[in-house]
């Protein structure tokens, strides 16, 4: 098993190895996906998250051994990139890769655990959420900062930003689920398209367009039109997929 550890945590190498080795028998399950899962556990007295990227088949094992970095490695490296650009994400602690017969079999990513207050999803479902528009404006500033740092976050969706309320109506935004990113200069069209998975309403589009226009010096109406078009196209695409899925089940 190969383990890469953040230099700050090198004195805890043995403890980190034990967390990984005991993942399937210890810790509290936080998220259970179709293939991957996340547990919380304690590294000494610090609560941490361990994300398990499940065993790979032969083809994916080949791909992630010879052609692409593992999801765990990307998560670790991308977290460091974000923090270097003053973009919040749970502090990266370590990642590990386990190989069988020369091919990547499974991997782990370990980071700080964030006790957050809510995610963007709550803002979607509750139009009367306290300080809703203010939070959306600050989230827009957060996304603008991402774009300025050349981060195209491909999984920019309602559950992938943890929101923590601070004093004086200030909110912190922590990016999670980091393994799908592109680092590139983004056109204004691509920037607006990056909001499409947030499942935003027309009112939310107005708030985002206005704030992003202030930050970017791009015409507000242009941004509104781009946001509406991209958001509606995405919603239609998802609705079509759900319809076809239901139809196939009949």
């Amino acid at each position: 098993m190969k383990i890469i550890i953040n230099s700050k945590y090198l004195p805890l190498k043995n403890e980190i190895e034990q967390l990984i080795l005991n993942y399937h028998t210890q810790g509290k399950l936080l998220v259970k996906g179709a293939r991957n899962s996340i547990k919380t556990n304690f590294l000494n007295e610090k609560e941490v998250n361990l994300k398990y990227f499940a065993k790979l088949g032969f083809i994916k094992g080949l791909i992630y051994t010879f052609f692409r970095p593992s999801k765990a490695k990307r998560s670790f490296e991308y977290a460091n990139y974000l923090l270097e650009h003053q973009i919040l994400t749970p502090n990266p602690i370590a990642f590990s890769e386990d190989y069988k017969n020369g091919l990547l079999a499974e991997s782990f990513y370990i980071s700080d655990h964030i006790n957050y207050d809510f995610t963007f999803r709550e803002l979607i479902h509750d139009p009367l959420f306290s300080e809703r528009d203010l939070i959306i404006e600050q989230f827009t500033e957060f996304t603008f900062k991402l774009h300025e740092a050349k981060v195209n976050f491909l999984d920019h969706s309602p559950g992938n930003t943890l929101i923590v309320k601070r004093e004086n109506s200030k909110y912190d935004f922590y990016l999670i689920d980091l393994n799908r990113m592109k680092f590139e200069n983004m056109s204004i069209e691509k920037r607006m398209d990056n909001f499409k998975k947030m499942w935003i309403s027309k009112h939310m589009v107005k708030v985002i367009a206005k704030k992003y226009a202030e930050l970017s010096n791009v015409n507000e109406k242009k941004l509104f039109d781009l946001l509406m078009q991209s958001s509606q196209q995405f919603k239609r695409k998802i609705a079509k997929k759900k319809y076809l899925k239901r139809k196939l089940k009949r």
Side-chain angles (χ1 to χ4, degrees):
M1 181 172 64
K2 169 187 172 184
I3 301 180
I4 302 297
I5 300 174
N6 185 325
S7 59
K8 297 176 183 178
Y9 294 92
L10 283 174
L12 299 175
K13 183 176 185 292
N14 291 335
E15 290 86 345
I16 291 170
E17 288 179 349
Q18 288 304 308
L19 285 180
I20 294 169
L21 291 171
N22 296 321
Y23 177 83
H24 296 292
T25 58
Q26 297 179 4
K28 179 181 177 182
L29 185 65
L30 190 65
V31 177
K32 176 62 177 175
R35 287 188 52 79
N36 308 324
S37 60
I38 302 174
K39 281 186 172 182
T40 60
N41 208 328
F42 286 89
L43 181 60
N44 285 358
E45 296 182 357
K46 175 191 283 288
E47 190 171 14
V48 298
N49 286 356
L50 293 90
K51 185 165 186 178
Y52 170 59
F53 298 98
K55 292 182 179 180
L56 301 172
F58 178 74
I59 299 299
K60 287 190 175 180
L62 280 173
I63 293 170
Y64 286 109
T65 300
F66 298 108
F67 302 104
R68 298 185 65 188
S70 71
K71 292 181 179 180
K73 182 179 181 179
R74 293 204 305 269
S75 297
F76 182 83
E77 292 180 345
Y78 294 173
N80 281 306
Y81 180 92
L82 293 176
L83 292 174
E84 286 169 5
H85 289 80
Q86 290 76 53
I87 297 165
L88 294 177
T89 189
N91 192 48
I93 295 172
F95 77 92
S96 73
E97 298 171 338
D98 193 18
Y99 291 80
K100 302 293 183 185
N101 300 316
L103 298 180
L104 181 68
E106 59 186 7
S107 58
F108 291 86
Y109 172 57
I110 307 176
S111 65
D112 282 355
H113 177 76
I114 301 296
N115 291 310
Y116 63 97
D117 295 305
F118 54 94
T119 68
F120 200 86
R121 188 175 288 112
E122 284 87 333
L123 304 180
I124 297 170
H125 296 303
D126 185 2
L128 300 179
F129 196 95
S130 177
E131 298 187 311
R132 184 175 186 249
D133 283 4
L134 177 63
I135 299 167
I136 295 170
E137 288 176 356
Q138 292 185 26
F139 174 78
T140 303
E141 293 177 9
F142 169 74
T143 302
F144 177 77
K145 191 174 182 179
L146 276 179
H147 295 164
E148 289 293 287
K150 300 183 180 181
V151 177
N152 184 355
F153 183 36
L154 303 178
D155 282 330
H156 205 27
S157 56
N160 283 343
T161 300
L162 309 181
I163 304 175
V164 177
K165 185 174 183 179
R166 301 301 186 193
E167 295 179 352
N168 302 319
S169 297
K170 297 293 183 182
Y171 293 84
D172 286 341
F173 302 86
Y174 290 81
L175 213 61
I176 61 170
D177 202 2
L178 306 181
N179 64 84
R180 294 186 67 242
M181 291 183 182
K182 286 185 179 180
F183 299 92
E184 58 185 355
N185 289 314
M186 298 173 67
S187 66
I188 199 63
E189 289 79 11
K190 186 169 284 190
R191 290 180 179 216
M192 294 303 99
D193 189 65
N194 194 222
F195 284 98
K196 67 184 179 185
K197 293 183 180 179
M198 299 308 299
W199 213 262
I200 47 181
S201 65
K202 185 175 181 179
H203 173 76
M204 297 170 88
V205 168
K206 288 180 180 179
V207 176
I208 292 170
K210 182 178 180 180
K211 175 53 69 171
Y212 208 101
E214 293 174 5
L215 297 166
S216 64
N217 293 318
V218 176
N219 180 268
E220 182 180 338
K221 184 180 185 305
K222 178 179 180 178
L223 297 182
F224 175 85
D225 291 342
L226 288 170
L227 274 168
M228 281 297 296
Q229 180 184 31
S230 185
S231 180
Q232 289 175 345
Q233 286 177 348
F234 178 74
K235 289 177 181 179
R236 284 195 294 267
K237 180 181 177 181
I238 297 301
K240 184 178 180 181
K241 280 186 177 180
K242 289 181 178 179
Y243 170 76
L244 292 173
K245 190 175 182 179
R246 288 196 301 267
K247 195 172 182 180
L248 289 171
K249 287 183 177 180
R250 292 175 184 172

